[in-house]
Amino acid sequence: MPVAITRQVSPAIGDCELTHLERTPIDVDVARAQHAAYEAALAALGCRVERLPAEPDLPDSVFVEDAAVVLDDVAILTRPGAESRRDERPTIERALAPYRDVVAIEAPGIVDGGDVLVSGSDVWIGLSSRSNRTAIDQFRGVLIGHGYRVHTATVNGCLHLKSAVTAASDDLLIVNPDWVDVTQFVDHRCIAVDPSEPGAANVVRVGDTVLAASAFPRTAERLTHSGLDVHLVDASELAKAEGALTCCSLIFEELTR
Ligand code: GLY
């Protein structure tokens, strides 16, 4: 059974980091209700949801994906690019300790989990305002011994690599070609988002199913037409904090040590 680590929305989410969005008021109760529905969708797809308590002093802490990358044989604790997010790590490290050996990215490396795309034994890491080459080299040093190929990906116009591309199945990526060069992803089929839905490339894969944001129905239709089982969730209030669906969970197989 997959485990999905999540964290309750912080009451301070309105003070979140923003890079490409204007600040607009966030209704914490609505964000919490959407987050609970997201967790329920993960549970309905077979995940065991482990929800961490809210962190009142860490506005972005609901976006647990950015603090770690969990692979089958190791977890890597990131060093988030935004200084305000670095204190999110200790609780994530403790949550992962029962499941994986945890290796930490060290300064001056910076990397957000949102910049790390894993598909099979390929790992692409986006060079963004949140992630640098030092961290990519550290990732490569850890993962090479576990049989992974680590690639540096270029990304433009969005916060994270996974704003621009995520894996919808073993060999299928959903991409926004305006934000990422699709020729980087050899050996994968790519479906483009509907041009009117630039933020639609971020989907959560659970087994043979994908969770997609209900704000992007045209792209969801494209995914359905390609044979995927697509479930829609409303994450519009969380999106005001520049967080997408993958940001809200760390999903991995439960392999106890
Ligand atoms: N608000 C999400 C982030 O900037 O990290």
Side-chain angles (χ1 to χ4, degrees), residues 13 15-21 23 59-63 66 80-82 84-85 88 112 130 159-160 238-244 247:
I13 189 170
D15 298 324
C16 64
E17 296 284 339
L18 290 176
T19 307
H20 294 274
L21 290 185
R23 195 169 299 280
D60 281 297
S61 53
V62 65
F63 302 128
D66 289 318
S84 68
R85 302 200 56 189
E88 296 175 25
D112 283 4
R130 298 291 179 83
L159 180 59
H160 288 132
L238 294 160
K240 294 178 184 173
E242 209 167 355
C247 306

Side-chain angles (χ1 to χ4, degrees), residues 38-199:
Y38 169 88
E39 291 173 322
L42 292 178
L45 295 176
C47 294
R48 183 170 63 72
V49 177
E50 258 187 48
R51 179 200 277 183
L52 305 178
E55 292 284 351
D57 299 326
L58 298 172
D60 281 297
S61 53
V62 65
F63 302 128
V64 290
E65 171 186 61
D66 289 318
V69 174
V70 187
L71 301 166
D72 279 351
D73 31 16
V74 66
I76 298 183
L77 196 67
T78 66
R79 184 167 179 272
E83 211 169 324
S84 68
R85 302 200 56 189
R86 303 236 170 103
D87 287 344
E88 296 175 25
R89 288 175 298 173
T91 45
I92 296 294
E93 183 173 18
R94 281 197 290 278
L96 292 175
Y99 302 106
R100 299 290 193 273
D101 290 329
V102 180
V103 176
I105 296 296
E106 305 290 348
I110 53 166
V111 59
D112 283 4
D115 271 321
V116 183
L117 170 67
V118 180
S119 180
S121 53
D122 285 302
V123 178
W124 288 273
I125 307 182
L127 267 183
S128 72
S129 59
R130 298 291 179 83
S131 301
N132 65 14
R133 288 189 192 278
T134 306
I136 295 174
D137 288 344
Q138 290 180 35
F139 254 87
R140 191 173 284 117
V142 173
L143 293 186
I144 204 160
H146 294 283
Y148 289 90
R149 291 179 295 264
V150 175
H151 316 276
T152 302
T154 52
V155 55
N156 290 299
C158 57
L159 180 59
H160 288 132
L161 177 63
K162 278 190 283 190
S163 316
V165 52
T166 54
S169 71
D170 282 348
D171 69 341
L172 183 65
L173 301 176
I174 172 81
V175 301
N176 177 339
D178 290 337
W179 288 347
V180 71
D181 175 5
V182 297
T183 63
Q184 300 174 100
F185 308 114
V186 289
D187 300 334
H188 283 73
R189 292 184 296 134
C190 292
I191 294 185
V193 298
D194 186 278
S196 66
E197 299 177 344

